[in-house]
Amino acid sequence: MNPNRLRRLSSAICVAVACSIAVAGIGPSASAHADPPAPVARLDLGRYLGTWYQLAAIPQYFNLICARDTRADYALDAYGDVSVHNSCTTWSGSVSEIRGTATVTDPVTDAQLHVSFPGVPTQDARYGPPNYIVTALGDDYSWALVTDPNRLSGFVLSRTAMLDTAQWNDVSAAIAAAGENACWYLTTPTTGGLDRFTPLCAE
């Protein structure tokens, strides 16, 4: 099969899976819970910095361009905020990337932040309410679960390209504890890890 046709087919399958989840009525709902997900009791921001690999996520319009190897790199900037560098490999094999800033909005836990990306509609305000909540963490900071106050987004992040069975079980329990459904999440193809898009609940 022609490589370009194969990439288009793969993209269409990914979109179809995302749409089927929504049509089936198991997608995220902003009104399902009165309270936002609880952040972890305390986030050690220094330990949280560095590279994270996205292993699963609730599909968003901005990540449909990504075919594999989605990652985030966090570092402190000159103002004491967190610089954000998100990147992925697209369906054409090129690299898509965007840079932004994350500002802690909850100094009690440091686990709620406002992330902004200049020039991106609805996300370009430098300061604002939290839209990034670290709601669960591995004890060794090997994985993290991130969502937002309305549970419309969700990201399973890992320091490595793979998690073992026990870690995935912990992630699934954390997703349920956050008031979300593992079926909302699609796994993210990652070099050295899973190589397919599939609902996390089916793994």
Side-chain angles (χ1 to χ4, degrees), residues 122-184:
T122 76
Q123 297 184 50
D124 58 350
R126 180 68 175 76
Y127 300 101
N131 57 11
Y132 182 110
I133 302 174
V134 182
T135 191
L137 272 172
D139 291 339
D140 56 356
Y141 281 59
S142 60
W143 63 268
L145 177 66
V146 177
T147 183
D148 66 82
N150 294 317
R151 297 177 175 84
L152 297 178
S153 65
F155 305 92
V156 177
L157 307 178
S158 172
R159 292 299 193 182
T160 60
M162 293 183 66
L163 293 176
D164 60 31
T165 300
Q167 289 172 315
W168 275 119
N169 288 340
D170 289 341
V171 168
S172 295
I175 289 173
E180 295 183 328
N181 187 324
C183 292
W184 301 349

Side-chain angles (χ1 to χ4, degrees), residues 27-190:
S29 170
S31 61
H33 298 267
D35 299 319
V40 295
R42 184 66 185 175
L43 178 70
D44 183 335
L45 197 57
R47 292 182 67 187
Y48 195 73
L49 300 177
T51 299
W52 290 95
Y53 299 91
Q54 177 185 296
L55 301 192
I58 296 174
Q60 306 290 322
Y61 73 91
F62 53 77
N63 61 21
L64 292 179
I65 192 176
C66 296
R68 61 185 309 107
D69 296 330
T70 301
R71 57 183 279 177
D73 292 283
Y74 302 138
L76 283 182
D77 66 16
Y79 303 97
D81 293 322
V82 178
S83 65
V84 178
H85 178 204
N86 292 343
S87 62
C88 72
T89 300
T90 70
W91 296 98
S92 66
S94 63
V95 175
S96 175
E97 59 185 349
I98 189 170
R99 296 179 184 272
T101 303
T103 305
V104 173
T105 62
D106 174 13
V108 174
T109 70
D110 280 347
Q112 299 188 88
L113 302 95
H114 176 78
V115 180
S116 60
F117 295 100
V120 177
T122 76
Q123 297 184 50
D124 58 350
R126 180 68 175 76
Y127 300 101
N131 57 11
Y132 182 110
I133 302 174
V134 182
T135 191
L137 272 172
D139 291 339
D140 56 356
Y141 281 59
S142 60
W143 63 268
L145 177 66
V146 177
T147 183
D148 66 82
N150 294 317
R151 297 177 175 84
L152 297 178
S153 65
F155 305 92
V156 177
L157 307 178
S158 172
R159 292 299 193 182
T160 60
M162 293 183 66
L163 293 176
D164 60 31
T165 300
Q167 289 172 315
W168 275 119
N169 288 340
D170 289 341
V171 168
S172 295
I175 289 173
E180 295 183 328
N181 187 324
C183 292
W184 301 349
Y185 286 74
L186 293 183
T187 58
T188 304
T190 306

Side-chain angles (χ1 to χ4, degrees), residues 2-24:
N2 180 279
N4 289 331
R5 185 180 178 189
L6 179 60
R7 283 193 289 268
R8 288 196 297 270
L9 177 61
S10 299
S11 181
I13 290 172
C14 178
V15 173
V17 170
C19 290
S20 68
I21 290 174
V23 171

